Amino acid sequence: MLKKQKKLIALIFSISLIGVTVYGNVEFLKGQIFAETSEESSISEIRKTSSAERNKLEKTLVTELEKSQIPSQQVERITKEATEDGWVVGKYTDFIEEGGNKISWKYGEAWSYTYNNNTWIYGDGNAIGAALIVNDNFLPGTNELVWGGGFFWANQAESVYAKNPTTNTLSRSFAYKNFQITIFQQLLDDGAVEVSYQVTNKTSVAQKIGVSQKVNILDRTPIRVLNDFKGLNIAQSSLALVPDPETMPNWSVGNNGKLNNFVGYDPKTVNGVGWESGKRQPDSSADLKENKPMSIGNADVVMKNPGVMVQPDESTIFKQIVKLGRMVPPTVTLDQKSGEMYKNERVKITGTIFDSNNHNYRLYLEMDDPDKTLIPLKDFKNVPYQEVQPYEASIEAEHFTIGEHMVSIIGIDEYGTSSVAQKISITKKGINGTPLIQKVAIGESIQTDITKLFENIIGNEPKLKSVSPVDSTTVGFQWADAVLIDADLKEESFKIPVTVYDTKTTTFNDLDNIVLDVKDTALTMSELTTAIQENRLNELILQKSEAEAWQTENGEAVTIEVMSQNVKSQFGQYEATIKAIRKDTNKVHTKKSV
């Protein structure tokens, strides 16, 4: 009877241990969610797991923990349903390796990703850290994101490891302060790794939960911003970092040690934006250019999610993709070798594009300017590997000056890998010329000699078709409309700046393009006395002289003032010097009025 009681007590104690272990390892079960479908594990997803869903998942796993004299030893048992999902019990030494790319656990703690055993993180892979953002603030002691700190390196002793060979995924689940964190790393078919941080709220109230990550890049060579500002590429080391735009929306780059807290964003707060805005934040309004190299040197890369509301016992997830090595560029063909067009026309091009190692890429026109400006032509999304995509695109005349240009058609994938350039010669035909400033005296007409109306004339036998008349009855500025026509009967319209002037009152500063018109005038004694008493004599002089001035190239007004005058409150002849000042250059032109 006593033996039966002992067996019964032992059985009850064993069941109790099983119940405690199942409850303490709920995060391991969430690996099943991660592996359910390719759609559910897409990079654009934010998943929240409800308490009811967690309870349902617990029924699929029974974990038995047997304590021995070695505190860290764990013995676990997985049900048939969990095994069919592909998850097996893991350990901190687990790794998955394919094609030279390898995922594992650094010291059993931080996720590790290498190519041919080479890391991309400074300090032998240690210069990386992450911290939770809770209710818009870092948790105490974690705001500096010290290398080797944050939740990456926390609680290795109580971590539960799992491995899914079917989906090439590793997971580590552990308690961290008032939260449960599971780090997933999945080796994708193109050799990249998708890293996910799943955070469960273990408090009794809703919390706004976010995450911030900082890493010091080993490679010091120039970086490039990826298509649509979705991340960065370092071509020298075949590295790409792609924060998930939905779950890790903000990212930035800066010199090592200068991006602590939220300094890498604008404003420098939890809600600040980074390089995803297309601007080189922080403290800069300079536009970023896709796929163009820029030197940072010893660079830190930061990324964050300011936070989402998470109810008690619910979870949220934050993702990114890193690609190291095995960069295979798209392959592009082009059917045309040359093309011609006039203004407002376009050249149609055709060809094919495919990629053996990427599903998403873009076709670009690379210009022949010093910056090698890239103009997007067409996007390709979710294309199967090796599937050849025919394309038809247009090269617009507005991107070119008149003349011949040797440009290129290239493909760039989402990791920033560029194809071999396909050259094409584009000739923009047309008529052009630089309109010359015209001076027309009162009562005269504008001239019709093309060589006096324009300089630098180019085109196929261009001629002056017409020029509009000007109203030469009043001094002032006007625009005249001129039309040039070439041998192909193509026309081009131009605006010609015209100044109508009076030989007696108008003077020009041709060097600085200033015209000043001032009339001689007479003041009555009454006007003079009143103006002196009211301290507005200069104003009266400008009014009576009808002084006006403008820029001869475009008619914009310039500042007018009385530079000097010797007028006295008595009868006589006096002089005033009127000054015109350009607002843009501060250049001056003067004229005397008697």
Side-chain angles (χ1 to χ4, degrees):
M1 183 66 177
L2 181 61
K3 290 182 178 180
K4 290 183 179 179
Q5 290 177 344
K6 286 182 179 180
K7 289 181 179 180
L8 179 60
I9 292 171
L11 178 59
I12 293 172
F13 181 68
S14 177
I15 293 173
S16 298
L17 279 179
I18 292 171
V20 171
T21 305
V22 170
Y23 180 81
N25 291 277
V26 169
E27 295 305 316
F28 170 75
L29 300 169
K30 292 180 184 175
Q32 298 182 51
I33 302 174
F34 185 86
E36 281 182 358
T37 65
S38 59
E39 179 179 358
E40 290 175 339
S41 61
S42 66
I43 193 168
S44 63
E45 170 195 3
I46 299 178
R47 177 185 291 105
K48 293 188 177 181
T49 307
S50 68
S51 179
E53 186 180 5
R54 286 158 48 87
N55 291 335
K56 179 180 178 181
L57 290 170
E58 287 175 9
K59 296 178 182 178
T60 68
L61 177 66
V62 176
T63 304
E64 182 180 341
L65 175 62
E66 297 179 350
K67 295 184 178 179
S68 68
Q69 294 181 353
I70 305 175
S72 63
Q73 182 180 359
Q74 298 181 8
V75 179
E76 302 193 23
R77 179 163 51 87
I78 297 180
T79 66
K80 180 180 179 181
E81 183 177 350
T83 303
E84 288 175 350
D85 251 352
W87 286 102
V88 296
V89 176
K91 51 187 181 297
Y92 73 91
T93 56
D94 283 340
F95 68 90
I96 296 174
E97 185 171 9
E98 286 187 1
N101 291 110
K102 179 180 178 181
I103 58 174
S104 60
W105 300 109
K106 188 75 172 179
Y107 312 129
E109 297 169 330
W111 58 273
S112 176
Y113 171 65
T114 60
Y115 178 66
N116 289 339
N117 294 321
N118 294 316
T119 185
W120 55 281
I121 302 173
Y122 184 76
D124 193 28
N126 296 319
I128 185 170
L132 292 183
I133 303 171
V134 180
N135 299 324
D136 295 335
N137 292 291
F138 288 110
L139 293 176
T142 65
N143 58 324
E144 293 298 330
L145 294 175
V146 177
W147 305 133
F151 64 76
F152 276 2
W153 312 92
N155 204 2
Q156 189 270 340
E158 298 181 14
S159 294
V160 175
Y161 299 88
K163 182 177 182 179
N164 193 323
T166 304
T167 60
N168 281 349
T169 306
L170 302 178
S171 73
R172 176 171 86 95
S173 183
F174 54 96
Y176 180 73
K177 301 186 183 297
N178 293 324
F179 305 92
Q180 187 76 17
I181 296 179
T182 302
I183 300 176
F184 296 102
Q185 45 179 331
Q186 181 181 22
L187 191 62
L188 303 179
D189 56 3
D190 62 359
V193 62
E194 181 182 77
V195 179
S196 305
Y197 310 133
Q198 183 172 277
V199 183
T200 302
N201 178 11
K202 304 299 292 184
T203 69
S204 59
V205 296
Q207 305 274 10
K208 184 181 179 183
I209 301 175
V211 71
S212 178
Q213 175 186 293
K214 181 172 71 171
V215 59
N216 185 219
I217 301 296
L218 178 62
D219 196 330
R220 306 300 194 230
T221 57
I223 70 169
R224 290 171 169 83
V225 178
L226 300 179
N227 297 344
D228 300 322
F229 313 107
K230 287 185 176 179
L232 64 88
N233 162 279
I234 302 180
Q236 184 71 25
S237 55
S238 296
L239 172 68
L241 273 70
V242 189
D244 175 23
E246 296 295 329
T247 66
M248 200 79 85
N250 310 126
W251 66 279
S252 186
V253 184
N255 296 115
N256 174 242
K258 295 185 178 180
L259 298 184
N260 292 340
N261 301 319
F262 301 118
V263 175
Y265 307 99
D266 183 30
K268 299 173 184 178
T269 66
V270 66
N271 294 313
V273 300
W275 285 24
E276 77 283 352
S277 66
K279 303 289 185 182
R280 188 170 175 173
Q281 312 288 3
D283 305 323
S284 173
S285 59
D287 289 333
L288 293 167
K289 295 182 178 180
E290 297 175 343
N291 302 297
K292 293 300 177 184
M294 63 181 76
S295 295
I296 303 293
N298 187 359
D300 286 348
V301 180
V302 292
M303 60 183 73
K304 69 174 174 66
N305 183 320
V308 295
M309 292 305 300
V310 182
Q311 299 297 320
D313 285 326
E314 289 189 353
S315 303
T316 188
I317 199 164
F318 311 96
K319 296 183 179 184
Q320 63 188 288
I321 284 181
V322 183
K323 176 72 183 292
L324 179 64
R326 295 170 62 185
M327 295 288 196
V328 180
T331 299
V332 175
T333 66
L334 177 64
D335 298 329
Q336 292 75 27
K337 297 300 181 183
S338 63
E340 294 182 347
M341 57 186 166
Y342 276 90
K343 179 182 177 180
N344 299 324
E345 294 181 345
R346 61 189 60 177
V347 170
K348 287 188 177 182
I349 58 171
T350 56
T352 62
I353 183 171
F354 72 91
D355 198 310
S356 62
N357 197 33
N358 205 294
H359 299 294
N360 304 298
Y361 33 91
R362 177 178 291 169
L363 193 71
Y364 282 96
L365 168 65
E366 184 181 68
M367 299 296 290
D368 59 349
D369 59 317
D371 291 334
K372 297 291 183 182
T373 300
L374 293 174
I375 300 172
L377 296 178
K378 193 168 186 178
D379 282 324
F380 298 85
K381 301 290 187 182
N382 302 317
V383 179
Y385 294 147
Q386 299 282 8
E387 185 172 288
V388 177
Q389 299 293 300
Y391 69 81
E392 180 178 298
S394 296
I395 299 176
E396 305 289 341
E398 64 185 39
H399 302 307
F400 297 86
T401 58
I402 293 176
E404 185 175 346
H405 302 265
M406 184 60 69
V407 295
S408 301
I409 304 300
I410 61 174
I412 301 179
D413 67 24
E414 64 182 339
Y415 295 137
T417 310
S418 179
S419 72
V420 175
Q422 301 297 311
K423 299 290 186 180
I424 180 172
S425 175
I426 298 294
T427 301
K428 183 177 180 179
K429 301 172 70 175
I431 315 164
N432 202 5
T434 304
L436 297 172
I437 294 170
Q438 299 297 305
K439 301 175 184 178
V440 178
I442 290 283
E444 295 185 357
S445 300
I446 190 171
Q447 57 190 331
T448 57
D449 185 343
I450 187 174
T451 62
K452 294 181 179 179
L453 292 173
F454 293 91
E455 64 179 356
N456 303 322
I457 303 171
I458 58 174
N460 182 16
E461 300 179 11
K463 296 179 181 179
L464 179 66
K465 180 180 180 181
S466 63
V467 59
S468 64
V470 298
D471 179 4
S472 62
T473 61
T474 306
V475 171
F477 179 86
Q478 300 177 43
W479 287 106
D481 296 317
V483 178
L484 300 183
I485 188 169
D486 69 3
D488 296 325
L489 302 182
K490 297 289 184 178
E491 299 181 1
E492 193 68 50
S493 298
F494 300 87
K495 294 285 188 181
I496 297 179
V498 180
T499 288
V500 178
Y501 68 96
D502 188 324
T503 56
K504 296 179 181 179
T505 62
T506 310
T507 57
F508 293 86
N509 176 347
D510 292 329
L511 179 62
D512 300 315
N513 287 339
I514 304 174
V515 57
L516 177 59
D517 187 76
V518 179
K519 297 178 176 62
D520 292 336
T521 187
L523 302 177
T524 67
M525 184 58 68
S526 174
E527 291 174 329
L528 182 59
T529 301
T530 302
I532 291 175
Q533 290 175 349
E534 296 177 355
N535 194 29
R536 57 178 186 85
L537 181 56
N538 288 348
E539 180 183 341
L540 179 63
I541 293 172
L542 291 177
Q543 178 185 345
K544 287 293 186 178
S545 65
E546 300 180 23
E548 56 179 335
W550 57 89
Q551 298 172 183
T552 51
E553 77 274 19
N554 55 23
E556 291 187 10
V558 301
T559 303
I560 304 173
E561 61 185 47
V562 177
M563 182 176 180
S564 63
Q565 48 85 8
N566 60 0
V567 179
K568 297 179 181 180
S569 182
Q570 61 186 47
F571 292 108
Q573 184 171 327
Y574 304 98
E575 287 185 348
T577 300
I578 310 300
K579 178 170 65 173
I581 310 167
R582 283 187 67 122
K583 298 175 183 178
D584 53 352
T585 63
N586 290 324
K587 296 297 183 179
V588 174
H589 179 48
T590 62
K591 183 181 185 300
K592 289 184 178 181
S593 174
V594 180

